[in-house]
Amino acid sequence: DIQMTQSPSTLSASVGDRVTITCRASQSISSWLAWYQQKPGKAPKLLIYKASSLENGVPSRFSGSGSGTEFTLTISSLQPDDFATYYCQQYNSYSWTFGQGTKVEIK
Amino acid sequence: EVELVESGGDLVQPGRSLRLSCTTSGFTFGDYAMSWVRQAPGKGLEWVGFTRRTGDGGTTEYVASVKGRFTISRDDSKSIAYLQMNSLKTEDTAVYYCTRLKMVYATNYYYYMDVWGKGTTVTVSS
């Protein structure tokens, strides 16, 4: 199975900060990567698919980039609603696998 | 409005069985593959498995840890997906989410999870 490793595991930031989360795959997954946001007690929500495509209705401050084995999720200006845990997930091959998550906390 | 509602979660003893349902509305169920993802208490997300559209054979894929114990099926006439869980273990304790899959074709079929239900809780304990 392809392993997905996110860094950092926890990130402390302030409103207005630019935030970047990295996700690395143990082998090439082309651009078959999605990013999800999860708030406590809630279901995950799709933010980005195919590494850089923004899901309908997701604010444009979210962006994704990368291909092959290295990917990033960037929040250009962190808003109060963005404090949550973020997961990357590869869907290049079975079993689909998630990163361990990055918790974005208030500094 | 697209909606997925999971049900059937319960407290069960190890070795017993349980069937979860995912009742959907707001879209043409038969046009989509469907998947299940779980999250153990305080842990990250784990993909469990998925079923392709009936038109694509309705075949299934599973994560190794549930293969042979869990079965995903679908009833297109009722717009419901199911997760049959047999020989349950304590490590199967989790919130189980149903997800809709968006399909992309690019020399092969690729799927990503575009809509999620709110989840149902399964606790396996004696």
Side-chain angles (χ1 to χ4, degrees):
Chain A
D1 293 357
I2 297 174
Q3 287 197 332
M4 307 300 293
T5 304
Q6 289 181 232
S7 60
S9 295
T10 307
L11 187 161
S12 296
S14 303
V15 172
D17 283 353
R18 181 181 182 88
V19 166
T20 298
I21 299 168
T22 298
C23 177
R24 288 187 174 87
S26 60
Q27 64 189 74
S28 177
I29 58 170
S30 185
S31 296
W32 304 115
L33 183 101
W35 288 97
Y36 302 90
Q37 176 194 66
Q38 187 179 34
K39 297 181 180 178
K42 302 294 186 184
K45 172 189 170 186
L46 175 67
L47 300 176
I48 302 282
Y49 61 94
K50 209 179 176 193
S52 61
S53 296
L54 193 68
E55 174 68 350
N56 288 342
V58 174
S60 59
R61 63 181 179 271
F62 291 93
S63 64
S65 65
S67 67
T69 61
E70 189 143 341
F71 302 86
T72 58
L73 173 70
T74 299
I75 309 173
S76 60
S77 178
L78 197 65
Q79 298 302 301
D81 191 46
D82 302 337
F83 292 96
T85 299
Y86 295 84
Y87 294 93
C88 63
Q89 179 242 329
Q90 68 82 17
Y91 53 102
N92 178 75
S93 60
Y94 311 121
S95 303
W96 298 336
T97 44
F98 291 87
Q100 81 278 15
T102 295
K103 186 175 182 180
V104 177
E105 298 181 327
I106 301 173
K107 192 172 187 178
Chain B
E1 181 191 0
V2 174
E3 195 173 18
L4 311 178
V5 179
E6 302 91 339
S7 59
D10 204 349
L11 168 64
V12 295
Q13 294 180 327
R16 304 300 289 263
S17 298
L18 198 63
R19 188 178 81 160
L20 306 183
S21 299
C22 173
T23 303
T24 74
S25 59
F27 65 100
T28 303
F29 181 77
D31 287 348
Y32 289 86
M34 299 294 294
S35 174
W36 290 88
V37 173
R38 66 184 179 182
Q39 187 169 36
K43 301 297 184 183
L45 301 168
E46 180 183 36
W47 172 72
V48 172
F50 89 102
T51 174
R52 295 176 179 82
R53 300 180 302 183
T54 299
D56 293 329
T59 51
T60 52
E61 306 286 346
Y62 300 95
V63 69
S65 59
V66 309
K67 211 173 286 188
R69 298 190 300 123
F70 288 13
T71 302
I72 296 172
S73 60
R74 59 188 300 149
D75 186 334
D76 289 358
S77 68
K78 295 180 179 177
S79 298
I80 299 177
Y82 299 99
L83 177 62
Q84 177 68 44
M85 302 185 293
N86 299 332
S87 303
L88 281 161
K89 304 176 181 181
T90 55
E91 52 263 40
D92 295 320
T93 294
V95 175
Y96 284 75
Y97 295 102
C98 171
T99 82
R100 189 179 78 168
L101 296 175
K102 199 78 175 287
M103 186 176 73
V104 176
Y105 179 75
T107 71
N108 204 343
Y109 290 105
Y110 297 91
Y111 304 86
Y112 61 91
M113 304 172 207
D114 71 334
V115 181
W116 295 61
K118 289 182 168 60
T120 188
T121 300
V122 173
T123 303
V124 185
S125 174
S126 54

